[in-house]
Each structure stands twice: as C-alpha cells, then as structure tokens.
Amino acid sequence: MSVARTAWLIARKDLRIEWKSRVITNQVVPFAGVTMVIFGFALDANTDVLELVAPGLVWLATMFSLLLLVQRNFSVEADDGALDAMRVAGVDARGIFFGKVIGLALQLLVLEVLLLFAAVVLYGETIRLDGAVLLVTTMISATCGLAAVGTLYGGLAAGSKGRETLLPLLTLPAVAPVLIGATRAVESALGTGVAELSDGWQWVSLLTVFAVAFGVGGSLAFGPLIDE
Amino acid sequence: MSVARTAWLIARKDLRIEWKSRVITNQVVPFAGVTMVIFGFALDANTDVLELVAPGLVWLATMFSLLLLVQRNFSVEADDGALDAMRVAGVDARGIFFGKVIGLALQLLVLEVLLLFAAVVLYGETIRLDGAVLLVTTMISATCGLAAVGTLYGGLAAGSKGRETLLPLLTLPAVAPVLIGATRAVESALGTGVAELSDGWQWVSLLTVFAVAFGVGGSLAFGPLIDE
Amino acid sequence: MPPDADAVVDLHDVVATLGQFPALSGATMRVETGEIVLLRGPNGAGKTTLLRLCAGLVPVVRGTALVLGHDLSVDRDRVRSHVGLLGHQNGLYADLTVIENVRFWAATVGATDAEVASAMERMGVADRLASVSVSKLSAGQKRRTALAGLVARRARLWLLDEPHAGLDQRARDDLDNTLREAAAAGATVLVASHELDRAESLATRMVDIVAGRAESGGSR
Amino acid sequence: MPPDADAVVDLHDVVATLGQFPALSGATMRVETGEIVLLRGPNGAGKTTLLRLCAGLVPVVRGTALVLGHDLSVDRDRVRSHVGLLGHQNGLYADLTVIENVRFWAATVGATDAEVASAMERMGVADRLASVSVSKLSAGQKRRTALAGLVARRARLWLLDEPHAGLDQRARDDLDNTLREAAAAGATVLVASHELDRAESLATRMVDIVAGRAESGGSR
Amino acid sequence: MTTLDPKTTDTADSAMSSRSTGTKATRAIGIAATFAMGWLVLFGLVLSPADVNQGESVRLLYIHVPTIWVAYLSFVVTAVASGMYLFTKKHSLGWDRLAGASAEIGVAFVGLTLLVGAMWGRLTWGVFWQWDARLTTTALLFVTYIGYLAVRRLGGSHEQRAKRSAVVGLLSVLLIPLVHWSVVIWRSLHQTASVLDTDGNIDMDGTMLFTLFIGVIAFSLLYLWLVMHRTRALAMEDMLEDRGLDIALAERRAEGGTR
Ligand code: HEM
Ligand SMILES: Nc1ncnc2c1ncn2[C@@H]1O[C@H](COP(=O)(O)OP(=O)(O)OP(=O)(O)O)[C@@H](O)[C@H]1O
Ligand SMILES: Nc1ncnc2c1ncn2[C@@H]1O[C@H](COP(=O)(O)OP(=O)(O)OP(=O)(O)O)[C@@H](O)[C@H]1O
Ligand SMILES: [Mg+2]
Ligand SMILES: [Mg+2]
C-alpha cells in the first residue's frame, strides 16, 4: 500500500475511535477549558495582565492538551498490542507516522479553535479581520509542528513499559520553540500590546520550518524508533 | 484487618510501586517543572508580575500534576484488575481510601516542595522565616484536601472503561476552592503583594474544613463508588 | 426461599446485565460444600459473568442469589472476604516482584509468611522467580503468581475462570491437586473452562451455561 | 550458511534477550513449507519469544535467523508483511466494532471485503457480533475476532501463541480446520500451546523448547 | 412529598396507561406559575422604577436573582433527596429520581443566571465576564452539577446509579455556601448580599423588593411544576428501561444453543 493510503487508513481509524469513545471531547476539552478559567483566577482577575498574556495562555493550554492527546492516541495502539500487530503486518512506518500526525493535528485544531473562542469570551480578547489570515496560518503551521513532535516522541514512548515516562520530558522542551513562536505570531494577529502584524509572518515562517523539519525527520526516524 | 492497618498496607504498596517504577519522579516532576518554566515564558519574563502570581502558579501546577498522579495511582489498580481483586478479597473500602489518600498526599507533598523551590529559583520568590509555619500548615492541609478529592473521584473513574473521562470534569471544579484558598494563604506566608500574615490562617481553616469534609465524606462514599 | 446452610451457592432465576445486555438471563444453580463444579458453555454464554456475580462484582438485577448463606443483593460485603476469584485478569502489580505481590494479597486476609511460602512453592514460583518483577514474567508465570496469591488466601469458595489457560503441564497438575485438596478440606470450587478433557476429570459435577442460563449437566 | 529457499524458518544458534535476560539461548530450528509445527515446553521456556523473533518483533542478538529466505538481522521489513502473528494480546481496538477491526487489519494488506466476510464467518463473529464494540465482547469472542483479522490477512507464515486458549469447542475446530487448509494451500504454521491433546493432533511435527533452546521432538 | 414521589412507579401499568406526567396538582401549580409570571412581567417591566445608578438594566435583577436562588433550592433538594435515598431503610428510587430531576432543573437555572448575568455585566461593567469570585464560583457550580448529571448517565442498574449519584450530590452541595459567601470571602466586584445579608436589614426600594419577591414566587412555582413533571418522566424512563430488559431477556433466552 502507498504511504498516502496507509496514512489515510490510520488517520480515519484514529478519528473514528475518537468519534466513538469521545475520550478527547469529554476529557481533554473540559481539561483545557477549566485550565483557561483557572488561569484567569490564578492571575488574580487582573484583566490587563490577562489580555496581554492571553495568546500565551492559549498555547500553553494547547501544549498541556497535546500531552494528553498524544498519550491517548498511543495508548489506543499499545493497550492491546495493536502497534506490534501493525509492525508485523508490514504497515509502512512513514504511513503510520503521517496517519497519526494527521489525526492528531485535526484533534488539536478543533481544540485550538475552542480555546481561542474561550479566550475571546473569558479574557475579552478581540479578533481583528485583517489579522485573521495570519491567525489561521499560524494555527495550522504550529499545529503541524506540534503534531509531528508529539507523534514522534509518542511512538518512542509507546514502545515499552517505563518509556512512557519519557514523553513529557522529550516533548515539552522540543515544542517550547513552537510555543514561543506561535504566541508571538498570535499576538501580532490580535494586535495585543505593541505587536505589529508584519512581525507575525516572520514567526509563521519559523513555525513552518519547524513543522517541516520535524515532519521529514519524524517520517524517517519513526520506523527505527518504534522498532524496539 | 483494621482500617488503619489496611490503609498502611495500601499506602506502603503504592509508595513501593512508585519507588520501583519512578513513573512520577520521571514523568510528573518534569511536567510540573516545565510548566513553571513555561509560565515564565508565557508571562513574558515580566518579573514583577511573576513574583506576584507565583503562589497561584505553584498551586496551578500542583493541580495539573494532581490529575496525572491520580490517573497513575488508579491505572496501577485498574490495569490488571487489582481493584476488583481487592473488593473480592473483602478489603475494607475505607482502608483503601485512606491508604490511597496517604500515598497520594505524600507524593503531592514532595512535588509541592519541589515546585516551591522552583518558584524561589525561577521567579525570585523569597520565603520569610515568620511565614514558614503558615506555609507548612497550608501545604499540609491543602494537600490532604487535594488527595481526598483526587482519590474519591479517581476511584469512581477507575471503575470501568469510559468513566476515566469523568476524572477532570469532577475533580477540577471540586479542587478549585483549594486552589484559591491555598494561593491566598501562601501569598500571606510569603508576603506577596499586600497580603497579611494573619489573613493566611483564615484560609488555612477553610482548607482544613475542606479536607475534613472530603476525608470523612470520601471514606464513607468510597465503597459505594468503586462498587460497580 | 429460606437460606440453606449447606448450599454454598444458591442461585434462583438470577438476571444480571452488562451495560444493557442480559449476560445472565435467569440462572438457577445450587452448589453444595466440597463440590468441584465445572461450568462449560460456548463463548459468550455467561460463565465469566456468573463467576463475577458470585464474587459480588456484578450486581443481581432480578432473582435471588445466596452465597455462603448471604443474600448478594443485601450484603455483598459479608460474602466477599471468604471468596477467592481468579478472573481473566491476574490482579497483579506489574512493578512489584512475585513475592511482594503474593505477600500483599496474603496480607489482605492476614495469612502468615509460612502460608505465602508454601503457596508459592506449590505454584512453582518460589525460587528464582520470587524476586523477579511481574512485568518480566512470561504469560504462564504471571498466571501462576496470581494462583499463588489465591492459594495463600485460603478462601471458602474458589471461583476460577479458565485457570488452566497458559499453564504448563506441571502447573496444571499442581493446580488440580491443590483444588482437590482444598475441596476435601471443605472448600467449594467453581471452575469455568473450555479445556474439557482436563476440567471434566477434575470436576465432580458439570453445569452447562447456555445463553445466560444454567443447566445441570449431571454428575460425572 | 546458504539461504535455503524451501526452509520457511531457519534458525541457527539464535540468541535473543528480553531486557538482560537471554530468553532464547541458542535456538536451532528448521521449518519447511506446509508444515504445522507445535512448539511445546514449560512456562518461561521461550516459546513466545521465539514466535515474536520470527515476526521481527524481537531482535536477533547472535546467530542467524532466516525467515521466508530473508535474514532477520538484515531486512526484517521484507519479512513482515508475509507473516501473521497472534500473540498473547489480541491487537484489537476496543472502541471499534468487530467488523471495523477486521476490516482495518485486512486493509493493511489490501484484502477484499469478501475475504473479510468469509474470515468473520469462519471464526463465528459474523452475525450479531459483527456490529458490537470489541469492549463489549467476552474473552473468547475477542480472541475469535483477532483470529478473524488474521485469517483475512492470508499470511505465508502463521505464528500462533496459544491460539486455542479461551476458544470454545466449535471455535477450536474451526481454527484447526482453517490452519489445516492454509497449510495444505502452501502456508506454514508455528503454534505454541500447552493444550497438548488438541495441538498434537493438529501438528505435523513437535519441537520442544527448553530453557531457551529448541529440540526437535520428531514428527508425530 | 406524596405528589413528588410517584407511587405509580412500582405498578408499571397504571402509570404507563396514563401516558402523561400531569396530574391535577401539577395542573394547578402550572396555572399558578403562569399567573405569577404574568405578574412578574407586569411589575418587572412596567410598574417597578428604573434604578438611579443602573437605569433600565436593573430589570434583569428580577430574573437574575430568583433563578440563582431557585437553583440553590433545587441543589439542596437534590442533596436532601440523595440523603433520603442513602440513609432510609427502603432505598426508594423515587428519592433518586427526585434528586436527578431537581439537579437537571437547577443546572438549567444556573445556566440562565450565567446568561443573564453576562448580559447584565455587558450593560453595566462593559464586559461579559470578569474574574470575580462570585462569577467564577458560579461557573464552578455549573460545571460541578454537569458532572453530577454525567455521573447519573454512567449506566448500570438503577440502584448503582442512585448510590453513586447520591454521593456526588451530597458532596456537591457544599459548593453553595462558597458561592453565596464568595463576595465576603474575596474582595469582590459583584454585588454583595443586599437582600439576604447578615444583619437582616433590607435596603431596597419597596416596589423593587416586591417585584423581586414576585419573581422568587414565580420561579419557585415554575421549579415545582417542572420538577414534578421531570420526576414522573424519569420514572417512566426507568420503567421503559425495565421493559427494554424484558425484551432483551426474551431475545437472549431465544438465542439458545451455540453462537
Ligand atoms: C455572569 C455574571 C454573573 C453571575 C454568574 C452572577 C451570579 C450571581 C449569584 C450566584 C448571585 C446569588 C448570590 C447569593 O444570594 O448567594 C447573584 C446575585 C446578585 N447579582 Fe449577580 N451575577 C452576575 C452578574 C451580575 C451583574 C452584572 C450584576 C449587576 C451589576 C449582578 C447583580 C446581582 C445582584 C444585585 C444580586 C443580588 C445580591 C443579593 O442580594 O444577594 N450580577 N449573582
Ligand atoms: N520483559 C522481560 N524482561 C526480562 N525477562 C523476561 C521478560 N519477559 C519475559 N522474560 C523471561 O523470558 C523467558 C521467556 O519468556 P517467554 O514469554 O518467551 O516464555 P513462554 O515460553 O512463552 O512461556 P509461557 O508458556 O508462560 O507463555 C521467561 O523466563 C521470562 O521470565
Ligand atoms: N461490557 C459489556 N457490555 C455488554 N455486553 C457484554 C459486556 N461484556 C460482555 N458482554 C456480553 O455478555 C455475554 C457474556 O459474557 P461472558 O464474558 O460472561 O461470557 P463467557 O461465557 O465468559 O465467554 P468466554 O468463554 O468467551 O469467556 C457475552 O455475550 C458478551 O458479548
Ligand atoms: Mg469468560
Ligand atoms: Mg508465552
């Protein structure tokens, strides 16, 4: 089977599992939502500060959710030995990688939209029309990067017992650049503080480079990584 | 067997499992640590703001870690049907409850000390000697409350597939009062902003009431809750 | 129906559901002290559900279920500590060693260290394996460890769900001997199994489970 | 040693470790096309490890292992898609239905819907069960579903780890017939089992695994 | 209590045959509630004066405050009914259904409070949401009872549902004092208790107070009407499920032999 067809098969399966089990809808979304509410409270209801840091908080909440999403997406594979079975069935590792990246990215995107919406309602953030293109581009490129990193290290961690402890340790530092870049880009898009719209595109190119690097690197490295 | 002996048996087992597997040490501590660092980034390294909100952030990180800790502490029981086996063996539900609360509370305490230390190093928070008693009391009573809530709802969620999604939904709103109270008490202890030392003790009494309520309620309710 | 002191398990038209599905659809069955009863039936017949019901893990929806003289819908807790269940899962802590696991389960009923040692000896996990972490055992070795924990618990009613699966020839013989001894000493054993040759030679009586109902298959 | 076209599995003094433990300590074994070989041996002997090694899941530490003519330490990937493994775990997605699971596994090797249907028919999970979520199946029904997925995959080399465990009498017969047909059609089957009565009547040859080494037990 | 705890539950057919959750009592309450609502509209929109500070937007008070008080009431009813289920010998499922029905309506009312409060906030504070103790705790109350309703839907037998949810219902009610006193505990932006404050003094315009009083009566009657219907509806749902079990049982028994 071609890599693309394999990826499609796997992404569809992942999305179908989520559709049926609703684990992410019921667990990760409230988690992220309550995160946002509690950020608000912990930052002591200081609305000026909140509006300033809102883009950062959205991405922070996204990142925490990323960890939960990756854990869920790979525990589905590891719980009953399905990942082993895929390897035995000779499923192309690049196909698995891209399939899981696609599934993860779609789940993340939905989550980000919800979080952004929450930021608008809860933190009084406003979205400008002329920043919308930048906003959407940022979200897509950042999401691809996050999904690639998450899948890569998720696969590594899913392999065997005890490795799972590695996931946050590897993932969080790796996605920190995404967090920073995406925060700056969204600040530009929303016009938070002194950010300029034009600055934003620089950050988007950084995010895109990151996503491509981890996408290509991940697709090559995934096979060896999941092979014990 | 008496409730106390059962509790001790179970707490010892949980701590031994952690000692051998190091899941929490390797997974939750870095998670909490990176959380603290990234808060710093997200708040744009604005030291004044950081110092002000540091107590809130410490408890926020504790609460996220609580979810992970509870999940881990109950997946150990649920993975191979050990919780069922305990019920069949007629192990006293109150004993299980208190045992897991003790184990969880100790793990949380260690984590909190580390986070506080991180706040001192990263955010330049200073600990006053005269606030130390208040600080320690706050941490202990808040931790007991968190552990009681976490264990109660962790048990409910561990029961069967699909229920796990309930854990954050039930836990986060229930522990939010602790988060708020403990934040204020620690602010008093550290002398952050305008907080007075004397205010702190009011919060501690609120935290204690909370811990006792959930401790007593939990020990009575745990049996029915884990029974399918 | 008056509680019957001699009947260890006395089910009368018991219905039990898993989700919406009536896994037991009216099971009637009576087991006396000292019997070794084999539950047999096709996949999905309800054997596992019946055993878990007797252990108090699955609630009785309709009908009456008396176990060790207690009504399960009234006081399951009174029944439990006298029952030992080996289900499809082993109930082991993967990160602890074999001996730590067996000790833990023995401690829940207050069994002594000598009993732990003899149970481990019996199921062949005493020597080299004792200090190996359960996560590093083969499938059969795990099953033996779970059985050792059960043996150490000295239950009055043993509920075993496919206990032979995964065990090698020697462990099977050890298990069968243990069960026979326990039954002779006054315990009662319910075994669900698909390995009919072995299980039928062990059991004193067969009960067929079909579509959630129990039908006595007569004694051997 | 020249690669031997006829030998489907050709192990020469193979050592494999799990963690630090040498689960295979020098296994030598040769299996020809069309054979049904039974691996037997006590718990912890290394049967599971041997099967997983042949499937390319456990790396070869020393010695040479040729499977389907390819050296496992050189190109495991070439071997894999022709191998079907049923391990101790079923490899099923609990939240999907039976038919979705079987279809998924069939799709990974490009099997048609007709093949899926016939495989499910064969393992008796076609009618009512087809649209039931795997999380709601009994242990034996899960095992059957995994076997249906395997049958749909039409492997050249079948590696089965205790395939009979948990299956009822009818499913056992169905499985044995399927395996005999597959072998007759040119596939090769390795079965690890503790149910000697049944497995010995199925197998064309026995191999004893003892402490990580393989010893030919002669043909039946 | 006799009207709320449907006796009909235990005799399935008599309840099913009526095919309606209404009785004479509910009809009377329904009519009374409609009247009271009419009065509320009249007083709230026409007869009561605009506020000196807040102008016309103060009229939102007459929904905002009664809804949250009735929500408190419904959660207390949930807790009491949960306690009655757990601690009475009979363990009557009627109490459990009352608890469930009351919580459902309470959640709806808190939702209304949040909605009206947010609109009011937009009018007076200029924003929908503030990081204020009362607002946050109200939101937490809302989420907590959504969790309670989720626990009710976990599945299993009616008794399991009753036991589990009773525990959660009893614990969740502890949040209400926190919401009520949040304005005292935390320095708050939100209105402090002016009607139910601790010293018992009521300082409010007479007509406004009376209108508020009508609001409370009207929403309480509405609550009563809804809770009676919902309790009966839940009883019927339970019966329907029991019927479903009968059908499933018949199917299962017919399955017979293998497979
Ligand atoms: C989303 C926004 C809001 C929420 C969630 C909210 C919530 C509440 C709650 C829970 C109470 C009941 C307090 C108690 O008696 O225990 C209450 C009462 C009240 N609220 Fe709000 N509120 C909101 C916005 C507003 C706004 C914008 C105003 C007007 C400026 C307002 C004015 C009042 C008044 C006057 C009371 C009655 C106070 C008393 O006598 O106890 N609220 N609100
Ligand atoms: N993760 C591991 N780390 C270290 N040793 C292991 C690990 N898993 C298994 N072993 C050891 O490797 C040996 C072989 O295990 P294997 O699972 O292959 O046995 P088996 O023949 O399949 O046994 P069974 O009949 O019980 O299934 C056993 O002695 C076991 O203790
Ligand atoms: N969680 C569940 N939800 C709904 N139905 C279930 C669930 N678990 C099992 N079932 C159904 O209940 C029936 C009885 O299952 P049970 O596990 O008792 O069978 P069993 O006799 O032990 O079968 P096996 O021999 O395969 O172990 C099966 O038909 C199964 O499909
Ligand atoms: Mg079974
Ligand atoms: Mg094995």
Side-chain angles (χ1 to χ4, degrees), chain A residues 92-112:
Chain A
D92 191 303
R94 282 165 302 165
I96 304 181
F97 177 78
F98 284 121
K100 294 221 80 94
V101 169
I102 293 169
L104 193 58
L106 288 177
Q107 295 168 354
L108 270 175
L109 265 182
V110 172
L111 192 79
E112 284 163 18

Side-chain angles (χ1 to χ4, degrees), chain B residues 10-88:
Chain B
I10 290 186
R12 206 182 44 180
K13 174 211 59 146
D14 277 357
L15 295 175
R16 181 176 288 157
I17 288 177
E18 173 50 24
W19 180 250
K20 297 210 168 181
S21 69
R22 300 289 165 87
V23 167
I24 291 160
T25 323
N26 294 333
Q27 188 163 24
V28 181
V29 170
F31 177 84
V34 174
T35 308
M36 298 287 282
V37 173
I38 285 181
F39 272 131
F41 270 116
L43 296 180
D44 215 353
N46 187 332
T47 331
D48 292 349
V49 176
L50 267 183
E51 220 186 309
L52 220 64
V53 299
L57 296 185
V58 169
W59 287 110
L60 209 52
T62 307
M63 241 181 55
F64 289 132
S65 312
L66 172 71
L67 285 182
L68 294 184
L69 284 176
V70 170
Q71 235 146 22
R72 163 70 187 168
N73 269 285
F74 278 94
S75 79
V76 160
E77 303 290 348
D79 273 354
D80 196 28
L83 195 60
D84 277 353
M86 273 205 250
R87 286 158 58 202
V88 176

Side-chain angles (χ1 to χ4, degrees), chain C residues 18 21 23 43-49 88 162 194, chain D residues 136 138-141:
Chain C
L18 302 174
F21 188 81
N43 290 141
K47 303 178 292 298
T48 299
T49 312
H88 285 300
E162 298 183 37
H194 293 294
Chain D
K136 295 187 173 169
S138 77
Q141 291 167 336

Side-chain angles (χ1 to χ4, degrees), chain E residues 64-65 68-69 72 117-118 120-121 134 138 180 190-191 193-195:
Chain E
H64 180 71
V65 175
I68 189 69
W69 284 355
Y72 288 172
W120 201 0
R134 171 156 283 168
T138 311
H180 181 67
H190 187 275
Q191 201 83 18
S194 44
V195 183

Side-chain angles (χ1 to χ4, degrees), chain A residues 37 40-41 45 50 121-123, chain E residues 128-133 136 186:
Chain A
V37 171
F41 216 85
L50 261 185
V121 174
L122 297 175
Y123 302 160
Chain E
F128 288 112
W129 192 260
Q130 282 284 341
W131 289 106
D132 168 90
T136 309
W186 294 278

Side-chain angles (χ1 to χ4, degrees), chain A residues 151-165:
Chain A
T151 305
L152 184 62
Y153 291 138
L156 175 67
S160 80
K161 185 108 199 138
R163 287 211 214 152
E164 65 211 12
T165 64

Side-chain angles (χ1 to χ4, degrees), chain B:
Chain B
M1 252 195 333
S2 73
V3 173
R5 278 207 45 206
T6 310
W8 168 233
L9 184 71
I10 290 186
R12 206 182 44 180
K13 174 211 59 146
D14 277 357
L15 295 175
R16 181 176 288 157
I17 288 177
E18 173 50 24
W19 180 250
K20 297 210 168 181
S21 69
R22 300 289 165 87
V23 167
I24 291 160
T25 323
N26 294 333
Q27 188 163 24
V28 181
V29 170
F31 177 84
V34 174
T35 308
M36 298 287 282
V37 173
I38 285 181
F39 272 131
F41 270 116
L43 296 180
D44 215 353
N46 187 332
T47 331
D48 292 349
V49 176
L50 267 183
E51 220 186 309
L52 220 64
V53 299
L57 296 185
V58 169
W59 287 110
L60 209 52
T62 307
M63 241 181 55
F64 289 132
S65 312
L66 172 71
L67 285 182
L68 294 184
L69 284 176
V70 170
Q71 235 146 22
R72 163 70 187 168
N73 269 285
F74 278 94
S75 79
V76 160
E77 303 290 348
D79 273 354
D80 196 28
L83 195 60
D84 277 353
M86 273 205 250
R87 286 158 58 202
V88 176
V91 180
D92 190 302
R94 283 165 302 166
I96 304 180
F97 178 77
F98 285 121
K100 295 222 80 95
V101 168
I102 294 169
L104 193 57
L106 288 177
Q107 295 168 355
L108 269 174
L109 265 182
V110 173
L111 192 78
E112 283 162 20
V113 171
L114 291 176
L115 286 176
L116 206 66
F117 186 73
V120 170
V121 173
L122 295 175
Y123 305 158
E125 208 63 41
T126 48
I127 296 181
R128 294 179 304 172
L129 207 67
D130 52 348
V133 180
L134 176 59
L135 190 65
V136 171
T137 324
T138 306
M139 277 171 57
I140 291 177
S141 56
T143 304
C144 291
L146 291 178
V149 175
T151 304
L152 183 63
Y153 291 137
L156 174 67
S160 80
K161 187 113 197 132
R163 288 208 213 156
E164 62 212 13
T165 63
L166 272 179
L167 182 64
L169 194 63
L170 292 173
T171 309
L172 287 176
V175 297
V178 177
L179 176 80
I180 297 166
T183 303
R184 294 293 181 279
V186 171
E187 276 173 7
S188 299
L190 299 181
T192 320
V194 294
E196 292 276 331
L197 201 59
S198 58
D199 292 348
W201 289 103
Q202 286 181 4
W203 291 111
V204 170
S205 54
L206 189 95
L207 293 174
T208 312
V209 169
F210 185 93
V212 170
F214 266 91
V216 173
S219 73
L220 296 176
F222 198 66
L225 277 190
I226 60 171
D227 249 4
E228 313 262 318

